Amino acid sequence: KESNLTAVSSKEVTKPVVSGTKYVVKEGDNLWKIAHKELGDGNRFTEIIKMNQGVLKSQDSIVVGMTIMLPKK
């Protein structure tokens, strides 16, 4: 039985582009504070969580020195 799947060359496969800015977590930071300081609205911390799903296990899992991505302002 023939498959309907077609092979694709690696050049045709594109990875999603994460658009934003890198931020290194500092002593005393939490996601709300980072969103407030860097994005102008602490409530945007949920966007930071969504952008960093592969890095953050929860909103409390940031550690000093960790690099996370921030959405555009």
Side-chain angles (χ1 to χ4, degrees):
K1 198 170 186 183
E2 194 172 315
S3 171
N4 291 333
L5 299 176
T6 306
V8 198
S9 81
S10 61
K11 291 179 184 175
E12 295 176 28
V13 176
T14 58
K15 294 182 181 178
V17 176
V18 177
S19 179
T21 331
K22 288 182 181 179
Y23 179 85
V24 178
V25 177
K26 297 170 184 60
E27 183 79 34
D29 275 348
N30 64 42
L31 294 179
W32 192 93
K33 286 180 182 178
I34 295 168
H36 178 72
K37 182 172 64 173
E38 299 294 322
L39 306 175
D41 181 357
N43 293 315
R44 291 187 67 191
F45 76 93
T46 57
E47 295 174 50
I48 298 172
I49 293 171
K50 286 178 188 172
M51 283 192 82
N52 294 279
Q53 287 179 342
V55 178
L56 300 174
K57 304 296 181 226
S58 73
Q59 71 183 52
D60 299 322
S61 66
I62 64 171
V63 294
V64 174
M66 172 187 271
T67 300
I68 57 175
M69 293 300 296
L70 301 181
K72 290 184 176 181
K73 292 184 181 183

